[in-house]
Amino acid sequence: MAPDQHRTTTRVLDILEWVAASTAGMTLAELAQTLDAPKSSLFPIVHTLEGRRYLRQLGSTGRYVIGPEPLALGAAFSTKKEIEMLGQIMNDISERCQETCQLGILDRGHVLYIKKKDSPLPIRMISTVGTRLPANATALGKALLSSLTDEQVRGLFPDGLPALTAQTITDPEALLAQLHAIRTGAIAMEWEESTDQLACWAVPLWHQGKVFAAFSVSVPVYRCQEDKIALVRQCLLDAQAQVERLPGDLDLAAFRE
């Protein structure tokens, strides 16, 4: 925990983030172990969050899952003028290339997916808004990491680069080489590094000289013919240029870490 952060507030947010990241939910004992905190100190926090409907306890297992109240907070963010404008650009990307488009921001060493537009095709990437994945394993993450210095990137992964598949880049020097290429104009990409049988391309989004988010397009490997790849890359470059031309008074800085 950073020295300027309030301990109890940090614990509340840690509980919500860990429960949200768990597909099966978490018991109080699991939360205590994960957060290295006694159950007696976590129980009143969890009980309050449950009473306010931020958490919900499953009667069959006793596990806590996210309740309905965070949906209202998420909806308040998603209706912002800025997210609506970006969403329209995403719709155009998906319509042109017929693939899933995603919007993500950097959350420490992870990508946080904050909006998506699904492919209209029956076989497509399955992903969920609110998911966090290691930034080194995704095209979105690489696009976002390219805005940092090599020293900052190394600092995000003190325990090494995590792997999601056998293809994930775990060599820091190989990752930094890709980031250098992105900084000099290359489009970020990954091929089965986050999910088997899935490829992805991404571009950082600049506004007033700073990267605030990234767009990506995910394509099942079997559809990755040369013409499809060329179309995806062009759609992303066009969208990147469109974002750079957005009015300067937009609050896009809110997306940055």
Side-chain angles (χ1 to χ4, degrees):
M1 183 180 70
D4 61 340
Q5 293 183 353
H6 186 254
R7 178 178 293 275
T8 303
T9 304
T10 298
R11 184 151 289 174
V12 170
L13 296 175
D14 284 343
I15 290 170
L16 290 172
E17 289 177 0
W18 277 102
V19 171
S22 173
T23 55
M26 299 182 73
T27 65
L28 184 62
E30 289 170 340
L31 282 169
Q33 182 178 9
T34 300
L35 300 177
D36 192 23
K39 290 193 291 184
S40 59
S41 68
L42 293 184
F43 177 76
I45 299 175
V46 170
H47 182 68
T48 300
L49 289 171
E50 183 183 14
R52 296 288 294 269
R53 304 207 308 166
Y54 285 88
L55 293 179
R56 180 169 62 90
Q57 189 174 33
L58 301 177
S60 58
T61 64
R63 292 179 174 274
Y64 290 95
V65 297
I66 292 296
E69 197 61 32
L71 291 173
L73 298 180
F77 180 74
S78 66
T79 56
K80 285 172 62 72
K81 175 177 65 175
E82 292 79 7
I83 200 75
E84 290 179 348
M85 294 181 72
L86 294 172
Q88 184 55 59
I89 296 174
M90 294 172 67
N91 291 343
D92 294 341
I93 294 172
S94 184
E95 183 176 340
R96 281 181 64 189
C97 65
Q98 298 286 288
E99 302 294 348
T100 298
C101 180
Q102 297 171 106
L103 174 68
I105 60 175
L106 193 61
D107 181 18
R108 289 153 285 187
H110 291 75
V111 172
L112 173 61
Y113 293 84
I114 62 174
K115 194 172 184 63
K116 63 176 289 195
K117 172 61 178 177
D118 282 323
S119 164
L121 301 177
I123 299 177
R124 60 181 184 261
M125 178 188 186
I126 302 299
S127 61
T128 306
V129 171
T131 298
R132 288 178 173 82
L133 292 178
N136 64 293
T138 68
L140 260 177
K142 294 174 188 178
L144 292 164
L145 290 174
S146 70
S147 67
L148 306 180
T149 66
D150 287 358
E151 291 73 21
Q152 288 173 321
V153 173
R154 292 182 190 276
L156 291 176
F157 303 99
D159 300 321
L161 302 180
L164 296 180
T165 73
Q167 307 304 319
T168 304
I169 291 178
T170 56
D171 177 3
E173 297 307 316
L175 175 63
L176 293 176
Q178 288 197 11
L179 299 184
H180 175 73
I182 298 166
R183 293 179 192 124
T184 54
I187 293 180
M189 72 162 295
E190 56 107 343
W191 193 280
E192 298 187 293
E193 293 176 46
S194 63
T195 306
D196 289 335
Q197 299 302 311
L198 194 75
C200 191
W201 289 263
V203 292
L205 301 180
W206 295 80
H207 191 252
Q208 296 187 323
K210 294 183 178 180
V211 172
F212 67 92
F215 280 150
S216 73
V217 173
S218 300
V219 186
V221 166
Y222 84 92
R223 285 207 294 266
C224 289
Q225 289 83 23
E226 288 187 13
D227 57 343
K228 169 68 76 170
I229 294 172
L231 176 59
V232 166
R233 291 167 62 90
Q234 190 59 55
C235 286
L236 287 169
L237 290 174
D238 291 346
Q240 185 184 48
Q242 188 175 352
V243 169
E244 289 182 8
R245 294 192 298 269
L246 290 176
D249 61 348
L250 291 179
D251 185 22
L252 295 174
F255 292 87
R256 294 197 296 267
E257 274 197 293

